[in-house]
């Protein structure tokens, strides 16, 4: 209801109908920019997370030696609070002597120049600047989320009858062909669940950006959750923030419903 009103959280709400939703599309387009950032994170970070989780799950499902240790190692980042993860990556991206990535780039640059290649990368690179943050945050998301989805896929792979793989090997199928024609189709429902989980997580993504931007995100680094929070607690624009929340809910609901419907339609029994 607040999304249809103009209200600062203290005074008397004023009914303005769809005015807040019109402002979302007209006021500097910041909502569309924030939505684009969410979709960027979902498309790239989400896609890489699913791909790497499938890759590592496929390797560990082969019952290699020390598989349980690898499972724990991959899953460990997922149990760390996102704020702690953000602080860790702030150190990794630092432009001081603590910055691991800038140190590695410096070594690569020095080695290349020593071998006769003229390279000047203008180091240290400001990974945490607002204009670079959306790209810099992608490795952090992939690192912290891959373990959870790897364990999810491993559980699904454990339920696939081994007789399917044995029959495929007898027919001369390669590992890739077995993965493509047996594993992926039979993991369809779990893949859909993973995509829905990732979408919900990345559409409401908040903590790392808020921490990395020192609680002052801007047009170049806003996502929908930070925009909503800023409108409520900094600008006291409850109506606008409520409109953002309503659209966020509708986007996630619609995408989730479509994914689950498609999953049921394409369901494979085994």
């Amino acid at each position: 209801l607040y999304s249809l009103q103009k209200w600062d959280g203290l005074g008397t709400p004023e009914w303005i109908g769809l005015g807040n939703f019109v402002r979302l599309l007209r006021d500097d387009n910041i909502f569309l920019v924030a939505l684009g950032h969410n979709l960027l994170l979902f498309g790239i970070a989400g896609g890489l997370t699913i791909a790497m989780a499938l890759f590592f799950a496929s390797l560990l499902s082969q019952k290699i030696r020390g598989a349980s240790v690898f499972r724990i190692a991959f899953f460990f980042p997922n149990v760390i609070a996102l704020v702690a993860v953000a602080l860790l990556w702030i150190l990794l991206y630092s432009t001081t002597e603590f910055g691991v990535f800038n140190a590695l780039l410096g070594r690569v640059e020095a080695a290349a120049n020593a071998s006769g290649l003229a390279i000047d990368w203008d180091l240290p690179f400001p990974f945490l600047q607002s204009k670079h943050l959306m790209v810099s945050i992608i490795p952090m998301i992939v690192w912290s989320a891959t373990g959870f989805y790897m364990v999810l896929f491993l559980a699904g792979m454990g339920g696939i009858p081994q007789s399917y793989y044995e029959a495929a090997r007898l027919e001369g199928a390669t590992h890739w062909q077995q993965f493509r024609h047996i594993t992926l189709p039979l993991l369809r429902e779990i893949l859909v669940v993973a995509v829905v989980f990732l979408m919900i997580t990345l559409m409401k993504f908040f903590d790392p950006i808020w921490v990395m931007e020192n609680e002052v995100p801007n047009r170049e680094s806003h996502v929908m959750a930070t925009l909503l929070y800023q409108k409520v607690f900094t600008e006291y624009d409850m109506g606008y923030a409520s409109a953002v929340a309503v659209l966020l809910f509708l986007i996630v609901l619609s995408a989730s419903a479509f994914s689950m419907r498609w999953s049921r339609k394409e369901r494979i029994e085994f």
Side-chain angles (χ1 to χ4, degrees):
L1 201 57
Y2 290 139
S3 64
L4 303 176
Q5 298 174 337
K6 182 179 180 181
W7 186 43
D8 61 2
L10 297 174
T12 302
E14 176 188 347
W15 183 269
I16 59 172
L18 297 176
N20 286 316
F21 294 95
V22 173
R23 287 173 58 206
L24 287 180
L25 304 177
R26 289 185 179 176
D27 286 6
D28 199 25
N29 289 332
I30 191 168
F31 171 78
L32 296 178
V33 172
L35 174 60
H37 290 158
N38 281 104
L39 295 177
L40 173 72
L41 293 179
F42 175 65
I44 300 179
L48 288 173
T49 298
I50 294 293
M52 292 188 67
L54 277 171
F55 173 74
F56 289 120
S58 180
L59 286 181
L60 295 181
S61 67
Q62 305 298 318
K63 295 181 172 51
I64 62 174
R65 188 174 181 180
S68 58
V69 176
F70 285 112
R71 290 187 192 187
I72 295 172
F74 280 114
F75 189 77
F76 178 73
N78 194 74
V79 303
I80 305 175
L82 276 177
V83 171
V85 171
L87 292 174
L88 171 63
W89 280 76
I90 286 173
L91 284 176
L92 294 177
Y93 281 140
S94 175
T95 54
T96 67
E97 65 271 16
F98 297 105
V100 174
F101 289 110
N102 272 308
L104 289 174
L105 288 175
R107 289 179 179 272
V108 171
E109 183 182 42
N113 289 330
S115 64
L117 296 175
I119 294 179
D120 183 10
W121 283 337
D122 193 22
L123 299 175
F125 185 81
F127 289 102
L128 297 177
Q129 272 190 5
S130 295
K131 63 182 179 181
H132 303 305
L133 189 59
M134 282 300 109
V135 175
S136 298
I137 213 166
I138 289 173
M140 187 207 76
I141 294 173
V142 174
W143 175 79
S144 62
T146 296
F148 172 80
Y149 294 98
M150 182 196 74
V151 172
L152 186 67
F153 295 146
L154 272 172
M157 290 176 184
I160 299 176
Q162 289 299 309
S163 57
Y164 293 179
Y165 295 103
E166 293 169 2
R169 284 193 290 269
L170 288 175
E171 294 293 329
T174 63
H175 288 296
W176 166 246
Q177 289 171 331
Q178 293 175 46
F179 178 77
R180 180 182 175 186
H181 297 291
I182 299 175
T183 305
L184 278 182
L186 297 182
L187 281 181
R188 186 191 303 274
E189 290 188 29
I190 295 178
L191 276 169
V192 171
V193 170
V195 169
V196 171
F197 279 179
L198 261 175
M199 177 175 53
I200 293 172
T201 300
L202 295 177
M203 293 304 281
K204 64 183 183 68
F205 197 67
F206 174 80
D207 303 56
I209 292 176
W210 195 254
V211 172
M212 289 179 169
E213 284 287 71
N214 293 315
E215 303 182 8
V216 191
N218 55 46
R219 183 182 178 86
E220 294 179 318
S221 59
H222 260 311
V223 289
M224 285 195 289
T226 57
L227 178 62
L228 188 156
Y229 189 93
Q230 191 175 74
K231 289 293 181 180
V232 172
F233 295 103
T234 302
E235 302 177 21
Y236 303 105
D237 193 344
M238 303 298 178
Y240 188 104
S242 297
V244 173
V246 168
L247 287 182
L248 175 58
F249 170 75
L250 291 176
I251 290 170
V252 172
L253 179 64
S254 301
S256 300
F258 173 79
S259 299
M260 300 306 291
R261 182 179 178 85
W262 177 79
S263 174
R264 286 196 298 270
K265 185 177 180 181
E266 301 291 333
R267 186 172 183 177
I268 298 176
E269 298 287 349
F270 64 95

